[in-house]
Amino acid sequence: MDKIFRVNMSDLTCKVEKVPAEFVTLGGRALTSTIVAAEVPPMCHPLGPNNKLVFAPGQLSGTAAAQSGRMSAGAKSPLTGTIKESNAGGTTAQQFAKMGIKAMIIEGQPKDNKWYRLHVTMDGVTFEDASELVGKQNFAVIDAMNAKYDTKIGVMTIGVPGENRLAAANISVKDPDQKIRSHGRGGLGAVMGSKMIKCITVDATGAGKVEIADPEKFRAAAKVFAKGMLDHPVTGEGLPIYGTNVLINILNEAGGLPTKNFKYGQCEHHDKVSGETMHDTIAGRPNGHTKHGCHAGCIIQCSQVYVDEKGEYITSGFEYETVWGLGINCLIEDLDDCARIDNAMDNIGIDSIEGAVLLAVAMEAGVLPWGDGKEGLRIMNEEIGKCTPIGRILGNGTGSVGQAFGLTRVPVVKNQGIPAYDPRSVKGIGITYATSTQGADHTAGYTIATNILKVGGFVDPLSKDGQVELSRNLQIATTAVDSTGMCIFVAFPCLDIPEVMPAMVDMIAARYGVDMSVDDFVGMGAKILKMEKEFNTAAGFTAEDDRLPEFFEYEPIPPHNAVWDFTPAEIDEVWNF
Amino acid sequence: MKITVKLFAGFRDNRFKMAEQDFPEAATVGDILTALNIDGPELGVALIDGRHVLPEQVLVDGQILSLFPKVGGG
Ligand code: SF4
């Protein structure tokens, strides 16, 4: 029987609760957002005792479904002030699902001002003294936990910036190779720090299999689904070979690659850090792996292991958005330097998108020279990682840096850094940035698929036509997919191959023994998205917050010299459903 | 007419990254794909001077044509 662990940090108790009937078929984002919306007072301080941090594995996590091993973390975000859901691979989603933990809700704050490690077992949660872990960064915490238990122990941890409640801090999750995946966006590491939890260890001893109500139906659907992943050229071929970083060149050609803190739409040295170059670099070095999965059961394997010339590990999970942010937007031309900064961000535990976007604004502010990868690395480790005064200004995110230095070209929406696709020349994604319940987030409604990659049809990126509808439909569908435990890349086959989406829904129906149509599934997405929006409204957000920064309206971006030209009324149409 | 052709991802295998090539007047994107021995269905995205075009698009002397197989990320 599935259960919910309710962890109270104020009195250091863990209650094991029955799963309410209305939660039974929920998972991932649908469940974290439902719980946050129901239990967190929208006006509360995100770092105060009334915020709650909720973990929930996806609906299909722990099953044999391909791509399903992602965990959602939710809370009110200290970066955006909105509701937040951030999902990540690693090992804990599958552990939780197999242990029958539908969700873990962490509330309150300790009265004794002591640091704790939560130790999760089948029976509940115990509160361990974490004083020896305090001050350690993530890899050291993982090493210490592997030494204390064994490498099977699940670990979710925060670095020093998380301890210090910086708004760019993430929650790092150990992956099957003892490296790190992240609940990256929105500062959830600061929420964990505010509850004085340095680390969460998960011991899955005694866990069984995830119960499947209709195994035959499940097996048949899982087969169709996996075949779709392998048959689609993007998930079957493009992503495994080149990783997500293949996007550098295509965004550059299309003029939508934000360069030098969003001044230009193309970058002279793009090929130095492109996916093609990265592939050849990794393939040409000893111990390099061009394919890698962020959790067991990933058959796409978009990730990689990036090594130096001698074959020593530098980083893994080196995504397009991070390479873009460092290699293009900060003009750091040396891919090895970018990889080292990526690893440093994993280690200190800050979101690698926010970290890269804020670094470009810091360059514009003159904190460090443009393109200086060595200084960028030093700043990560020595300033943000150690929470010096300047490190705190930086580590509180892009908006914080812009404000501290009096800048206007500060790419944020709801105070969250805008990632790797320029909204002036790829207009659909601008609608997503403006209106997402999560602050600027490309994954919330990834119009790049249709605006740039011609997946799921084509909507001209430079025209306003069709963008609002595209973004709305994708935001609804993504909310649903974020609930399954699957990574966003399943969307490519879902958009192009008719059997894939029904197969995914059939797996959920078979898992829980319920009737569910694709319409029901998408309907759940719409309902959750509206629920998130209502939370934000109750937290004080209005339509005026669903806007891009003003500079996008008056600074044309070359080569197309495009500006952001949607009227407020046009943007607000997103919510017309 | 002279067209600068830029190839990306798997299209580079056994071909080139970038080359200025001669094509007959009024050649289409499809004609250039044929000349490069690329099957139509393999094409993901074709851009001329940074704008998405269809295989029927006729090229004009001096243009830059960028060709991508079906790729994605996010
Ligand atoms: S495709 Fe990439 S993001 Fe998706 S599950 Fe695999 S490694 Fe993780």
Side-chain angles (χ1 to χ4, degrees), chain A residues 67 70 292-295 298 300-303 487 489:
Chain A
Q67 311 306 126
R70 293 174 72 88
H292 186 253
C294 69
H295 69 267
C298 163
I300 303 175
Q301 306 223 312
C302 77
S303 187
C487 78
F489 303 128

Side-chain angles (χ1 to χ4, degrees), chain A residues 142-219:
Chain A
I142 288 174
D143 287 347
M145 293 303 102
N146 284 347
K148 185 174 177 66
Y149 299 97
D150 58 40
T151 52
K152 288 209 281 299
I153 194 81
V155 182
M156 297 190 274
T157 165
I158 56 172
V160 174
E163 289 174 23
N164 285 279
R165 304 171 304 284
L166 301 191
N170 66 22
I171 298 174
S172 297
V173 190
K174 194 177 83 168
D175 76 6
D177 292 331
Q178 317 302 323
K179 302 299 187 209
I180 286 174
R181 301 284 148 174
S182 315
H183 295 283
R185 308 228 66 191
L188 295 180
V191 178
M192 191 156 141
S194 76
K195 303 206 172 296
M196 308 290 290
I197 299 166
K198 174 67 184 174
C199 157
I200 300 169
T201 42
V202 186
D203 179 348
T205 305
K209 276 192 176 162
V210 171
E211 269 171 55
I212 308 280
D214 185 344
E216 214 158 296
K217 177 174 172 174
F218 188 92
R219 229 176 287 126

Side-chain angles (χ1 to χ4, degrees), chain A residues 503-543:
Chain A
M504 183 161 79
V505 176
D506 280 352
M507 286 192 287
I508 302 168
R511 151 104 158 91
Y512 295 115
V514 295
D515 286 326
M516 192 186 282
S517 65
V518 169
D519 282 351
D520 295 336
F521 178 69
V522 174
M524 170 196 72
K527 188 177 146 208
I528 299 295
L529 192 59
K530 285 220 158 142
M531 189 187 282
E532 293 175 346
K533 167 82 168 163
E534 276 161 26
F535 179 94
N536 292 348
T537 303
F541 287 85
T542 67

Side-chain angles (χ1 to χ4, degrees), chain A residues 41 145 324 333 374 441 465 476 481 497:
Chain A
M145 293 303 102
W324 155 78
E333 296 185 21
K374 308 283 185 280
D441 181 345
D465 294 344
I476 291 169
V481 173
I497 306 176

Side-chain angles (χ1 to χ4, degrees), chain A residues 242 253 271 276 321 452 460, chain B residues 6 9-10 17 51-52 66 74:
Chain A
Y242 298 105
E253 293 307 303
D271 213 29
E276 288 89 337
E321 285 73 19
I452 298 290
D460 182 357
Chain B
K6 292 164 108 179
K17 257 177 152 169
R51 300 298 305 256
H52 289 74
S66 311

